[in-house]
Amino acid sequence: MRRDVLELRAFYGSPLGKAAREMLTRKVSEAWGDAAGLDVLGVGYPTPFLQYLDHRPRRVVAAMPAAQGVEVWPRQGRNRSVLVEDGDLPFRNAMFDRVLAVHALEESVDPLEVLCEIGRVTAPTGRVIVAVAARNGAWANAEGTPFGHGRPFTRLQLESLLREAELEPTGYTRALYVPPMTAFARWAEGFEQAGARLWPGFAGIILMEAVKQTFAVKPRGVRARAHVLVPGALQPAPAGLPPARYSDRLETPGV
């Protein structure tokens, strides 16, 4: 069962949630850099991160699962959030240049279906970042946070799932080394720097980037039967001989 959107919003409004938002947003910005002029989609509960993208994308949409609920976003201006069903994004094929999935897979009934839909709406040159709770991290057991619910993943499990959805992983990173307790939130930056060097395997979150696999399909020739006129068939036959006949057994390659 998915966490309610109100629970998610309350968490990211807390000191611990703000620290988590800052750490993850930094990783996304480092990977994507300038998003100006791009079409960006967020899936799951991505709004705490989308609003901090570098520069201004051409279009930003937040797609939130129906089982979770949706919130109006942003608070000012035109609404850019939409309620969707898992595995059924209401967008045309190859529409988005960048896709960010946060809180999208862990509590989904069918994570592969979600990733396949993400791949469908991603442009051939687009890039996808998926953030999930790390199985070996402390955040996977922190039930007071959104990352402590649903299924966590290892790096290899996430790689395998992405490839099954025809998304090819190109790199990964980790985040959230701070213990998932409010008392440590103020030292999140120090934990992040020390953890990346000293105990990288105990990060709370895995972020993996992938690109859409595209394959060139070459046309194949087929063989089809054709009636071919035998030379001389139009010549008058000598008296007493049967007329020339058509050959109906000759096969020629078709295109």
Side-chain angles (χ1 to χ4, degrees):
M1 180 178 177
R2 285 188 177 274
R3 298 301 92 188
D4 187 86
V5 68
L6 297 178
E7 296 179 42
L8 292 166
R9 185 168 62 182
F11 169 75
Y12 283 105
S14 69
L16 191 59
K18 289 178 181 178
R21 180 185 65 194
E22 183 178 347
M23 300 302 110
L24 269 67
T25 300
R26 179 187 303 169
K27 296 294 186 180
V28 174
S29 296
E30 289 174 355
W32 284 353
D34 186 1
L38 301 179
D39 295 326
V40 180
L41 171 66
V43 180
Y45 189 72
T47 53
F49 316 98
L50 293 179
Q51 58 185 331
Y52 294 104
L53 290 178
D54 293 343
H55 299 79
R56 186 174 181 83
R58 180 174 65 174
R59 179 191 291 120
V60 182
V61 180
M64 302 187 188
Q68 165 193 292
V70 67
E71 66 179 6
V72 176
W73 179 81
R75 295 184 179 181
Q76 302 294 331
R78 189 176 180 180
N79 179 57
R80 298 178 183 176
S81 61
V82 60
L83 192 70
V84 301
E85 294 291 341
D86 268 354
D88 187 14
L89 298 175
F91 309 112
R92 67 175 183 269
N93 295 350
M95 183 174 177
F96 295 97
D97 304 297
R98 301 286 186 270
V99 181
L100 173 64
V102 184
H103 303 301
L105 300 186
E106 294 98 325
E107 296 182 87
S108 172
V109 175
D110 191 343
L112 177 60
E113 185 180 35
V114 174
L115 287 177
C116 287
E117 270 295 276
I118 288 175
R120 180 185 65 80
V121 302
T122 302
T125 57
R127 294 156 66 183
V128 176
I129 290 181
V130 179
V132 296
R135 182 173 295 278
N136 295 330
W139 286 74
N141 297 315
E143 295 186 1
T145 77
F147 297 102
H149 298 269
R151 65 177 74 78
F153 292 84
T154 66
R155 178 178 62 85
L156 294 179
Q157 287 172 342
L158 186 56
E159 279 185 8
S160 177
L161 193 63
L162 284 166
R163 288 196 172 100
E164 195 171 353
E166 298 187 357
L167 294 168
E168 181 61 29
T170 58
Y172 77 98
T173 188
R174 302 176 188 270
L176 287 189
Y177 292 91
V178 59
M181 292 178 283
T182 302
F184 293 98
R186 67 178 68 182
W187 296 294
E189 183 62 39
F191 276 99
E192 203 71 11
Q193 295 183 16
R197 293 179 175 86
L198 301 178
W199 52 87
F202 292 95
I205 306 300
I206 298 173
L207 296 96
M208 189 166 291
E209 185 175 57
V211 296
K212 187 174 182 177
Q213 292 182 349
T214 55
F215 303 96
V217 180
K218 296 182 179 180
R220 296 174 56 188
V222 297
R223 298 182 65 84
R225 292 183 178 180
H227 295 288
V228 178
L229 190 65
V230 176
L234 298 182
Q235 300 296 326
L241 294 178
R245 303 181 62 185
Y246 292 94
S247 171
D248 62 354
R249 300 296 298 175
L250 185 62
E251 295 182 342
T252 57
V255 179

